Amino acid sequence: MTTRSPLRFLTATAGASLLLASCAVGPKAPDATLPPLASGAFVGADAPGVTAEAARDDWWRLYDDPILDSLIGQALTENNELEAAAANLRRVRAALGEARVGRFPATTTSAGVSTGRPSAATVPGLPAGTEAPETDTYDAGLDVAYEIDLFGRVESTIRAARADAAAAEAALDIVRVTVAAETARTYADACSANAQIAVAERTIELQSDSVDLTQRLLDAGSGNGLDTARARSALESSRASLPPLRAQRDGALFRLATLTGRTPAEASEAARACQRPPQLAQPIPVGDGAALLARRPDVRQAERNLAGAAARVNVATADLYPRISLGGSLGATALEADGLGDSENFRFSVGPLISWSFPNVFAARARIEQASAGSEAALATFDQTVLVALQETETALANYANELDRRSALQSARDQAATAARLSRLRFDAGADSFLTVLDAERTLAAADAQLASSDALVTTYQIALFKALAGGWSEG
């Protein structure tokens, strides 16, 4: 979708649907409007790491990660929630086809044969006490009925069904957005857990060396048991961090299997071996508010629900007026089967039919009130959906920008902690500091490494949240 006037397109679509609804009988439909500032640049558009270029549907390809590309391709093909949404769309489209049949005449063909005997009292000239003769009657015919849609009931019904079909299509796109984003996030979670496991294992290796050193010093008579106990405590604390991280990784792999239509036993081995979350090598293209609202399938769904609700007000209002139909029948009735083709046995009828449930007008007005309330609720939902779309995007932009700043600070802190740990070890070797200083410096470095790895994971998580807010993934690119 281009960005030449996506907001105008969305507004025109909503307005046109409501205008069409107002052409039929019934009250004026509520007007769908967008906030005046909704079409401008995002508040966080000038943050580092983003650009005002148009957002992409296939955003995951920006990571240039073949494993991620493959996993999302599997998810968009095999995910069960997507299959259910696609089936629901087929169901709603079938209902639209049924509604469109209302534009055409209804036809009924019939053919039959019957055997009967009238009452003797109804046969003139029949002697008393004599039974009337049995007769066979053959009949074949065609009946046609066509509703003249004078008050727009049929067309309003079709408009409502068409809006339902478009809303179901948008609902399918919503699931696509969610599946693509959740697949990428879950893959990133598995990679991030592996990265944090690697940090913990490096810390454990370093602390194991410290334990060995303090034990050798103790055995040589130049150390003390306190330093050894402290070193062992730090080592065991680091070892205790590994099981939760492994559980996080395995849980992510199992979720990933479910998203791609697999059992946990078929979890991706490529994702299991991933050692770092996917990385972006370029700023994220975000576009502007106008493009966002035109892209977001939940906004399109809310707009289509509003159009359908407005059309149903007209359907309910049309029930206040009579229904006018033209009907006709053509056929033949004969006492012998071969007489059905004789001209004297042909029959026909044609004429209008007016049906009006006037005595039940109060029920019709109650249905109008229900439909009107539904239309007002749909309008409020549309307005809220627009605001939520803008809020989610701005929040994702803010989270991403601030986490980039935090990661930069954590990187500096980690570098300083590494320098401090190296210097403290040198001073200890030279006899200038106690081993407690070394231990504290190594603990600080381990914490800094863990925080940096956690921030790396959050950066990727916030990137994917931003891509999801921008509604990427609703087409298969």
Side-chain angles (χ1 to χ4, degrees), residues 398-413:
N399 287 340
Y400 179 45
N402 283 285
E403 191 58 36
L404 286 177
D405 291 342
R406 177 172 176 265
R407 184 176 66 175
S408 178
L410 287 174
Q411 182 65 60
S412 297

Side-chain angles (χ1 to χ4, degrees), residues 34-57:
L34 295 169
L37 300 179
S39 61
F42 296 119
V43 174
D46 57 350
V50 301
T51 175
E53 295 179 9
R56 289 178 53 168
D57 295 336

Side-chain angles (χ1 to χ4, degrees), residues 60-78:
W60 56 89
R61 293 194 172 95
L62 295 174
Y63 286 105
D64 194 22
D65 187 330
I67 298 174
L68 178 59
D69 292 346
S70 175
L71 289 170
I72 290 185
Q74 290 176 27
L76 293 178
T77 304
E78 304 294 337

Side-chain angles (χ1 to χ4, degrees), residues 110-372:
S110 62
V113 58
S114 61
T115 299
R117 183 179 67 189
S119 169
T122 63
V123 181
L126 189 68
T130 303
E131 293 181 349
E134 294 183 359
T135 59
D136 294 331
T137 303
Y138 297 85
D139 184 85
L142 172 68
D143 296 328
V144 179
Y146 175 71
E147 180 178 349
I148 300 175
D149 196 22
L150 186 62
F151 301 103
R153 187 189 69 83
V154 173
E155 283 302 316
S156 295
T157 300
I158 294 173
R159 281 199 304 275
R162 187 182 296 119
D164 289 343
E169 184 175 358
L172 175 59
D173 291 341
I174 291 173
V175 179
R176 284 194 182 114
V177 169
T178 302
V179 167
E182 286 304 301
T183 301
R185 185 180 67 82
T186 306
Y187 169 68
D189 286 348
C191 296
S192 297
N194 277 335
Q196 291 171 297
I197 288 171
V199 168
E201 288 175 342
R202 288 196 301 271
T203 300
I204 289 171
E205 183 179 0
L206 178 64
Q207 291 174 338
S208 295
D209 292 341
S210 297
V211 169
D212 292 341
L213 173 62
T214 56
Q215 186 63 49
R216 287 197 304 272
L217 292 174
L218 180 61
D219 293 342
S222 59
N224 61 77
L226 180 59
D227 287 345
T228 303
R230 284 170 172 167
R232 290 189 182 280
S233 175
L235 174 60
E236 295 305 320
S237 294
S238 296
R239 283 176 175 166
S241 69
L242 279 177
L245 291 173
R246 289 170 179 154
Q248 290 175 22
R249 179 198 57 199
D250 291 345
L253 291 171
F254 299 151
R255 292 197 308 273
L256 190 58
T258 300
L259 285 163
T260 55
R262 305 288 194 270
T263 64
E266 300 171 290
S268 171
E269 291 300 323
R272 183 182 295 276
C274 174
Q275 293 300 312
R276 60 178 300 191
Q279 305 292 310
L280 282 178
Q282 58 183 299
I284 297 177
V286 298
D288 57 19
L292 171 73
L293 296 180
R295 287 169 52 84
R296 289 270 299 214
D298 55 343
V299 174
R300 288 188 286 114
Q301 182 188 41
E303 184 275 324
R304 288 291 82 201
N305 286 337
L306 174 58
R312 287 183 176 87
V313 175
N314 300 130
V315 173
T317 304
D319 286 339
L320 289 174
Y321 299 88
R323 296 186 186 183
I324 302 174
S325 300
L326 291 178
S329 65
L330 176 68
T333 303
L335 298 178
E336 300 290 341
D338 56 4
L340 289 175
D342 297 341
S343 60
E344 64 270 16
N345 292 329
F346 277 105
R347 58 176 173 77
F348 76 91
S349 65
V350 64
L353 173 66
I354 299 177
S355 60
W356 192 7
S357 58
F358 179 76
N360 203 24
V361 66
F362 295 108
R365 292 193 180 279
R367 288 193 293 271
I368 293 172
E369 185 65 25
Q370 294 175 41
S372 298

